[in-house]
Amino acid sequence: MEPETDNEPPSPPPKRRSICHKCDRPIPVCLCHVIPTPPIPTKTQIIIIQHPHESHHKLNTAPLLTKSLLNSSSIITRRLSSTTPINHPPSSTYYLFPPSQSSPAVTLSDLKTALKNNTPLVLIVFDATWKHAKEMVRASEGYLSKFSTRVCLDGFDGGIEGGSIYDSDLVLRKEPCGGCVSTLEAVARWLGVVEENGLEIEDRLVGILKEMVRLQAQFLKPMRPRPKLLKKSKQIEQGKNSSDG
């Protein structure tokens, strides 16, 4: 007797999500209603150096910058070198990244006092996970140090835990420490300081980020404390109860 065979037809493949052809995002989280049209002009040329892995990440904010800012572009690479197609005027190119012991950085507020009005600027930002971004900066510093200055946002603190989407309307992914922000927010804060109408530009870009976070938060699952944290909190509570008795 032959074994029975499963005659049920194979299940159809899952349907792909419909994508907006303008903002390149899934229709349920489309951001066309907040992306500036036409793109915002700036005296700062924004060059985004994007890690190859980051270019495929669904929460990547770099595409929103290139769609929102007229004078912005992105290059997908793991490191900068003399072969990278970057045009930079002398003495006015900066790259944005937190300081390290071996590579200090000028804070944005200190830089503002040294900038001359109407000077064309180039800002290089690294778009990746923090682990990959550190590797990219380390690999590129030999080249960058020849013509650019390292700048960091005010408020960076490596000793403080970073925020997450559960406790901030500006955070999409868990940040490693205090003052770490997304690529979009970092560029917005730079423009808010150096551009003539910077506060207005910063407000527009931050509004895009807030809307992106709001839409993404609709799909979050309730956050549950990790087992180790639950055990620790119970031990603390038991200790309090025993001391009260």
Side-chain angles (χ1 to χ4, degrees):
M1 184 174 180
E2 295 183 358
E4 294 183 4
T5 58
D6 187 0
N7 294 323
E8 293 184 4
S11 58
K15 293 183 179 180
R16 297 188 64 181
R17 293 181 297 176
S18 298
I19 302 296
C20 173
H21 69 281
K22 291 184 178 180
C23 68
D24 300 320
R25 292 178 55 77
I27 295 297
V29 291
C30 171
L31 289 170
C32 287
H33 58 291
V34 289
I35 294 176
T37 304
I40 302 170
T42 59
K43 70 176 182 181
T44 303
Q45 178 189 359
I46 308 294
I47 301 176
I48 303 167
I49 309 302
Q50 191 175 61
H51 191 280
H53 292 176
E54 190 68 15
S55 63
H56 303 294
H57 200 289
K58 63 182 180 180
L59 297 181
N60 179 243
T61 61
L64 297 174
L65 283 170
T66 55
K67 293 178 186 298
S68 300
L69 300 175
L70 184 63
N71 198 12
S72 64
S73 59
S74 62
I75 300 172
I76 298 177
T77 184
R78 293 174 186 266
R79 65 187 294 266
L80 291 177
S81 66
S82 57
T83 60
T84 309
I86 292 181
N87 296 321
H88 51 85
S91 305
S92 59
T93 300
Y94 303 89
Y95 68 101
L96 193 61
F97 204 75
S100 65
Q101 291 183 348
S102 59
S103 299
V106 180
T107 62
L108 191 51
S109 57
D110 288 340
L111 177 67
K112 180 181 180 181
T113 60
L115 291 176
K116 297 180 181 179
N117 292 333
N118 300 321
T119 301
L121 304 171
V122 175
L123 178 67
I124 298 171
V125 293
F126 291 86
D127 185 56
T129 63
W130 282 100
K131 178 181 180 295
H132 285 153
K134 288 180 180 178
E135 295 171 354
M136 293 167 70
V137 170
R138 193 179 303 117
S140 305
E141 273 193 308
Y143 172 66
L144 287 171
S145 61
K146 298 176 181 179
F147 61 88
S148 62
T149 302
R150 186 165 178 161
V151 178
C152 69
L153 301 177
D154 294 86
F156 173 77
D157 190 338
I160 299 177
E161 184 178 2
S164 73
I165 194 172
Y166 289 96
D167 52 36
S168 172
D169 60 356
L170 290 176
V171 179
L172 284 162
R173 289 182 265 180
K174 182 73 173 68
E175 301 293 358
C177 55
C180 292
V181 299
S182 66
T183 302
L184 194 156
E185 184 180 354
V187 171
R189 289 174 60 179
W190 163 278
L191 296 174
V193 170
V194 305
E195 295 289 321
E196 185 176 355
N197 57 333
L199 293 180
E200 178 183 347
I201 297 174
E202 180 180 4
D203 187 61
R204 293 287 299 276
L205 294 178
V206 167
I208 298 172
L209 180 58
K210 285 185 175 181
E211 181 66 359
M212 185 178 182
V213 174
R214 185 189 71 81
L215 292 173
Q216 195 64 37
Q218 299 178 44
F219 303 95
L220 288 177
K221 296 179 180 179
M223 186 173 62
R224 296 179 180 179
R226 289 175 291 180
K228 287 185 178 179
L229 294 179
L230 281 174
K231 183 178 179 181
K232 185 176 181 180
S233 62
K234 287 181 179 179
Q235 291 174 344
I236 294 173
E237 187 65 28
Q238 289 173 358
K240 288 183 178 179
N241 293 337
S242 61
S243 62
D244 291 342

